[in-house]
Amino acid sequence: MIPNMSDMQTQVGIVGAGPAGLLLAHLLHGHGIASVVLETRSRAHIERRIRAGVLEQGTVDLLIECGLGERMQREGLVHHGIELRFSGRGHRIDFSELTDGRGITVYGQQEVVKDLLAAREAAGALPRFEVADVSVADLESDRPAVRFTYDGAEHELRCDVIAGCDGSHGVCRPSIPDAAVTTYEREYPFGWLGILAEVAPSTEELIYARHERGFALHSMRSPELSRFYLQCEPDADPDDWPDARIWEELRIRLALDLDEGPIIEKGVTPMRSYVVEPMQHGRLFLAGDAAHIVPPTGAKGLNLAVADVRVLAAALRDFYAGTDAGLGAYSDTCLRRVWRAEHFSWWMTSMLHRFPGGHGFEEKLQLSQLEYVAGSRAAATTLAENYVGLGQRI
Ligand code: FAD
Ligand code: PHB
């Protein structure tokens, strides 16, 4: 039972215990700044939620720096390239060679979340799980509030700053008056069916395949666990995808002799690009999916969430040391990286998916672009350096 919080206070109120909210709480703790994280779901739910799998070098470096790297360094799979497959052939993009030895680490988002929760638990500061009716108030004052109910009782948390880390369906972003922000948006006419299967991956590196029947991706989570994605209708029902259909479609689109295993999870994700500018209103600062969404083809969403909270934690450290220039620059600083990732994710998505009703002309352009990436060092470097992440250079 949590104490009556009707008059509870903290320095930073954090809405949402996804990677953004949990990592922010951890970084602030390292700076001696108190925070409270409020989350609508249960701990078991957020630890089981399967999402991203690719960590950029900058994300890995930050997690190690702040003491969260131990299990990731042991269990994460370091990759130095990916394969692009189209027109029945595979082409390797060699990250090491094209980006001075850099690479990516395949380590599930839910594993990052588990590591973060273990750190929060060790600090005696677990999020308040299963809160409801969350709202934010007094954003333009210097004592904003987060209101919520827990166990049927109403509570209020007063703080100096609110971090809106509540993802794409949260309450923080819609609490900003429409006139105070501009939103940029694109919906794609397809989704991804994500599959987790208990079988050793049939490839060492990720395979991104463009096929006339639609996009397919072969990823992984461990030497025993494979992760796959298939382009599907945006509102597809996973029940229309029995296991036999999934394996057949994967084999055709990936042009690969796949090993099969029990499918233990499947779900559909719609694809969207979205940015809100600025990522701040008064004392509310948005981070991660609350502020921007990318289609997952570029593997950027989690990495952007981590990059945002790195900037926000440093800005809050300076704020409590007496200077608010960092908070003032927060949105502009983050948006430079966000727009680079938006472009890269849109570009990868456009190049690799089948567009319903698409014309021969667009298909020819896609293939020409893919051949250019596969055959030109300059074009391959563009893909490689965006994929591994531009680090501190942006
Ligand atoms: P979230 O993880 O969405 O966390 C928000 C939290 O807020 C949730 O726990 C939610 O329950 C909680 N919440 C919501 N509303 C409220 C409320 N009102 N009050 C309190 N709490 C609330 N990214 C990559 O970088 N690499 C990849 O390979 C990749 N692959 C992906 C594959 C798929 C299929 C999908 C769906 C996404 C993928 N992403 C990837 C994107 C990545 O998963 C997200 O960008 C990431 O989860 C963002 O983290 P977040 O903390 O901002 O938001
Ligand atoms: C994943 O492993 O979940 C994954 C990998 C690459 C992507 C998206 C998701 O682009």
Side-chain angles (χ1 to χ4, degrees), residues 12 45-46 60 104 129 144 148 196 216 276 334 378:
V12 180
H45 179 90
I46 67 166
V60 168
I104 49 125
F129 292 107
F148 60 98
L196 192 65
V276 61
C334 292

Side-chain angles (χ1 to χ4, degrees), residues 108-348:
Q109 177 169 323
Q110 79 274 27
E111 305 305 325
V112 176
V113 164
K114 281 184 207 158
D115 296 344
L116 280 161
L117 283 170
R120 300 286 66 230
E121 192 161 29
L126 276 172
R128 313 289 183 187
F129 292 107
E130 297 179 76
V131 302
D133 309 316
V134 179
S135 65
V136 292
D138 303 334
L139 302 179
E140 286 158 49
S141 77
D142 58 8
R143 272 318 257 175
V146 188
R147 302 197 177 112
F148 60 98
T149 57
Y150 180 79
D151 235 2
E154 289 177 11
H155 300 279
E156 183 176 274
L157 173 67
R158 285 273 159 196
C159 39
D160 301 324
V161 166
I162 298 174
C165 302
D166 49 349
S168 53
H169 301 294
V171 296
C172 289
R173 217 285 308 143
S175 305
I176 303 176
D178 285 349
V181 287
T182 307
T183 56
Y184 301 87
E185 201 163 0
R186 167 159 304 187
E187 286 195 12
Y188 300 88
F190 40 74
W192 276 14
L193 176 72
I195 300 121
L196 192 65
E198 280 177 332
V199 61
S202 301
T203 174
E204 288 195 355
E205 293 180 335
L206 272 65
I207 302 175
Y208 286 79
R210 179 206 178 274
H211 192 276
E212 301 77 70
R213 297 171 71 97
F215 170 79
L217 170 60
H218 188 338
S219 181
M220 62 228 36
R221 286 293 177 272
S222 72
E224 301 84 33
L225 221 45
S226 295
R227 179 86 170 136
F228 299 98
Y229 296 98
L230 282 167
Q231 178 181 347
C232 62
E233 298 293 321
D235 54 355
D237 179 351
D239 290 342
D240 290 337
W241 285 87
D243 294 4
R245 180 178 177 203
I246 288 173
W247 290 114
E248 190 195 349
E249 204 61 33
L250 283 171
R251 273 206 186 86
I252 297 172
R253 296 190 196 179
L254 291 167
L256 200 65
D257 191 18
L258 276 182
D259 291 330
E260 283 184 27
I263 292 180
I264 54 172
E265 212 258 355
K266 61 183 160 184
V268 171
T269 312
M271 309 269 278
R272 202 149 76 94
S273 299
Y274 175 90
V275 182
V276 61
E277 289 197 11
M279 291 167 54
Q280 177 213 352
H281 181 70
R283 287 286 181 95
L284 170 67
F285 293 82
L286 302 174
D289 278 15
H292 39 72
I293 301 164
V294 286
T297 328
K300 289 285 166 246
L302 170 61
N303 292 295
L304 281 181
V306 167
D308 286 351
V309 298
R310 175 208 284 267
V311 175
L312 187 53
L316 287 165
R317 180 198 56 207
D318 294 350
F319 172 72
Y320 284 108
T323 150
D324 57 10
L327 280 182
Y330 169 72
S331 179
D332 286 349
T333 306
C334 292
L335 284 167
R336 269 194 299 279
R337 177 189 301 272
V338 166
W339 277 112
R340 178 87 301 281
E342 288 288 344
H343 178 270
F344 177 65
S345 305
W346 163 83
W347 179 69
M348 288 284 280

Side-chain angles (χ1 to χ4, degrees), residues 45-62:
H45 179 90
I46 67 166
E47 284 190 335
R48 273 202 301 262
R49 198 164 45 191
I50 295 166
R51 286 197 179 159
V54 172
L55 308 185
E56 292 176 356
Q57 190 63 53
T59 300
V60 168
D61 292 345
L62 176 65

